[in-house]
Amino acid sequence: MGIDEAIEKINTSNQGLNVILENLDEQLSDLRGDPRLEGLVDDLENLFYAYLKTWIKSNNEIKEILEKEK
C-alpha cells in the first residue's frame, strides 16, 4: 500500500468516525430507555466520545507523518 492510499484510508476512517460521533446520542437512545442502565448511559456516551476523539486524533497524527514522507 502506498502513502497516498494509506492517507485516503485514514480520511475515510475519520469520516466514518465523525458520523458515529455526530449520531452518538441517537445510537445510545435505546440504551437510555432501559431502566437497568439508568445513570450508566451518560458515562458510556462520555467514554465513547473520548475514545472516538482519541482515535481521530491518532489518525490525524499518523496522516501528518505520512504526508511528511511523501
Side-chain angles (χ1 to χ4, degrees):
M1 173 183 335
I3 291 176
D4 289 332
E5 188 178 347
I7 290 171
E8 184 58 36
K9 287 185 182 229
I10 289 172
N11 287 335
T12 301
S13 174
N14 280 352
Q15 288 172 351
L17 293 170
N18 280 314
V19 168
I20 293 169
L21 267 176
E22 291 168 4
N23 297 304
L24 190 56
D25 187 54
E26 181 181 322
Q27 293 173 2
L28 295 174
S29 64
D30 289 342
L31 293 177
R32 286 191 198 289
D34 188 335
R36 298 172 295 172
L37 300 175
E38 187 175 340
L40 295 176
V41 178
D42 289 337
D43 291 338
L44 279 174
E45 184 173 8
N46 290 335
L47 179 65
F48 289 148
Y49 181 83
Y51 174 73
L52 292 168
K53 291 300 271 187
T54 301
W55 192 352
I56 291 169
K57 181 180 178 207
S58 296
N59 277 354
N60 286 333
E61 290 171 355
I62 294 167
K63 183 176 147 184
E64 287 176 20
I65 293 168
L66 289 172
E67 287 174 339
K68 287 179 185 176
E69 295 295 320
K70 273 175 83 171

